[in-house]
């Protein structure tokens, strides 16, 4: 799916909303994939199976009102709706909400590069919150891109953008890459 911002903000917002409706129509109920459902698949195949409704999406997306939108090799895009229930006591969206979307985009971008039998986990991530978010912002997208995917380490970068191209936050991660536990 096209995440470009070359069209007008209104067109981009409509496109983002239409894409979310199409994605949500295919998604299964939130859950946890069993090891036998993961076995023999690349990371990209696992994530694509989630988008196809064959594997369940993670509960966190429902909890915090966001969804995976698209995956490609080395890239993952999430979309979220900032709501009052994500607010901190200061009257803006909690920094953890920004971080969760960005962590998801970073991690899943890395996941798309995992061959069969390999797994990853986030070792550290760094977030810059450069603009406050409120429930007046209709949608934001976290676009994650892999920078390096090696035998032991993978790194990625992500941006959190509004439909008008405004940058709300950016992040980077270092992930540890390892063999899937036997039987998985
Ligand atoms: C304000 C600043 C930190 C600095 O920005 P700069 O790079 O110097 O600013 P720049 O000049 O590029 O203008 C950009 C926009 O910012 C606006 N603006 C600028 N200065 C001020 C100001 N002093 N006050 C108000 N607004 C200001 C400015 O009008 C412009 O908007 P516009 O273009 O006119 O529409 C900005 O990066 C920011 O808001 N980041 C997000 C931080 C955030 O949301 N953190 C998460 C929540 S914390 C949390 O949850 C933790 C917690 C948990 C539990 C309990 C308690 C706490």
């Amino acid at each position: 799916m096209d995440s470009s911002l070359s069209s007008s903000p209104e067109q981009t917002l409509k496109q983002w909303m239409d894409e979310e409706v199409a994605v949500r129509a295919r998604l299964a109920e939130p859950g946890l994939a069993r090891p036998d459902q993961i076995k023999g698949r690349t990371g990209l195949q696992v994530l694509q199976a989630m988008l196809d409704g064959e594997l369940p999406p993670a509960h966190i997306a429902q909890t915090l009102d966001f969804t995976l939108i698209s995956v490609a090799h080395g890239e993952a895009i999430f979309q979220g709706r900032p709501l009052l229930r994500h607010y901190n006591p200061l009257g803006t969206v909690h920094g953890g909400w920004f971080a969760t979307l960005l962590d998801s985009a970073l991690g899943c971008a890395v996941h798309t590069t995992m061959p069969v039998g390999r797994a990853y986990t986030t070792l550290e991530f760094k977030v810059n919150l450069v603009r406050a978010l409120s429930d007046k912002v209709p949608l934001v997208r976290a676009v994650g891109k892999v920078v390096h995917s090696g035998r032991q380490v993978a790194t990625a970068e992500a941006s959190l953008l509004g439909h008008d191209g405004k940058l709300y936050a950016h992040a980077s991660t270092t992930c540890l890459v390892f063999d899937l536990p036997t039987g998985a």
Side-chain angles (χ1 to χ4, degrees):
M1 288 181 195
D2 182 13
S3 63
S4 88
L5 297 166
S6 54
S7 49
S8 73
E10 293 73 24
Q11 286 171 320
T12 301
L13 182 59
K14 182 174 183 319
Q15 182 196 323
W16 285 12
M17 291 166 97
D18 290 348
E19 287 177 4
E20 183 171 337
V21 168
V23 164
R24 287 191 184 279
R26 292 194 306 270
L27 286 184
E29 287 300 306
L32 194 57
R34 297 186 312 272
D36 64 284
Q37 293 177 300
I38 305 291
K39 192 173 179 177
R41 298 194 207 225
T42 65
L44 183 56
Q45 287 169 339
V46 167
L47 291 168
Q48 192 57 55
M50 276 183 200
L51 284 170
D52 293 341
E54 195 197 327
L55 294 179
H59 285 282
I60 186 73
Q62 188 179 60
T63 306
L64 290 181
D65 305 290
F66 68 89
T67 183
L68 178 63
I69 288 286
S70 68
V71 285
H73 185 82
E75 183 180 288
I77 300 178
F78 283 80
Q79 182 160 296
R81 186 168 279 95
L83 298 172
L84 194 59
R85 64 171 167 234
H86 309 138
Y87 273 36
N88 59 34
L90 307 173
T92 61
V93 170
H94 196 291
W97 194 81
F98 295 69
T100 305
L101 262 81
L102 287 163
D103 188 21
S104 303
L106 292 164
C108 289
V110 167
H111 198 174
T112 66
T113 66
M114 291 298 109
V116 173
R118 295 290 279 170
Y120 77 99
T121 193
T122 301
L123 192 59
E124 67 82 39
F125 70 108
K126 162 80 169 75
V127 185
N128 283 282
L129 311 172
V130 296
R131 179 180 288 273
L133 263 179
S134 76
D135 60 359
K136 299 209 169 37
V137 177
L139 288 175
V140 286
R141 276 193 174 190
V143 180
K145 292 185 178 172
V146 167
V147 177
H148 165 80
S149 187
R151 280 168 291 177
Q152 294 145 106
V153 164
T155 59
E157 293 174 344
S159 297
L160 191 68
L161 299 161
H163 70 279
D164 50 5
K166 274 187 185 161
L167 179 69
Y168 289 90
H170 54 98
S172 61
T173 191
T174 308
C175 293
L176 184 67
V177 179
F178 51 89
D179 282 339
L180 264 181
T182 323

